[in-house]
Every structure is written in structure tokens, then in C-alpha cells.
Amino acid sequence: MAQASPETRRQWDGTLTHDWTGGEISFGGGISSEHDYLSRFGHAGGKFYLDNRLTTINWGASATFDNIRASLAANSAAD
């Protein structure tokens, strides 16, 4: 069995949140990369409080955009 090539992934992400009496909202995103892969992602979400915080409505959405640049030459060590 051939030895696998080393993989290094770098990832940065963060989220900003604002809280107030009637709810909370947050936005965030990040990036993740390897030598043959790039991913960018973002998200938004929040909550609304109703009836003196007896009811909470949560919502959220996210999106990811990936780019894969794999090549057979990079995998030749496995042959």
C-alpha cells in the first residue's frame, strides 16, 4: 500500500452577534483551503422573543461555495 501524501488545511471563520431585548441576530462566514480545494461559506441567523420570552422564533440560512482543483498528477504516488 502506498503512503498517502500529507494534507494541510487552513481555515478561518468568525461570527458577529447582536443581542437586544426582543431578539438576537448574527452574521458570519469563513474560508477553508487546501492545495487542491477552496471553500467559502457564510451564514445568518437569529431569534425573536414573543410573549415575554415564553415563545422564541428561530431562523437561519447558510451558503457554501466550493472549488475543487484535483488532478491525477497529485495522486500518482498512490499508483
Side-chain angles (χ1 to χ4, degrees):
M1 180 175 204
Q3 182 179 6
S5 62
E7 292 285 331
T8 301
R9 175 178 285 192
R10 292 183 176 88
Q11 180 170 329
W12 294 273
D13 58 67
T15 301
L16 295 174
T17 302
H18 178 71
D19 190 11
W20 72 93
T21 305
E24 178 180 298
I25 191 164
S26 63
F27 296 97
I31 188 168
S32 176
S33 67
E34 295 180 27
H35 73 281
D36 59 353
Y37 174 76
L38 177 64
S39 177
R40 294 173 303 272
F41 49 92
H43 56 86
K47 54 180 89 171
F48 298 105
Y49 304 122
L50 307 171
D51 299 326
N52 288 332
R53 293 191 172 214
L54 295 175
T55 302
T56 303
I57 299 173
N58 292 305
W59 65 275
S62 63
T64 303
F65 304 96
D66 298 329
N67 185 5
I68 300 170
R69 297 178 305 270
S71 71
L72 293 177
N75 294 323
S76 62
D79 293 337

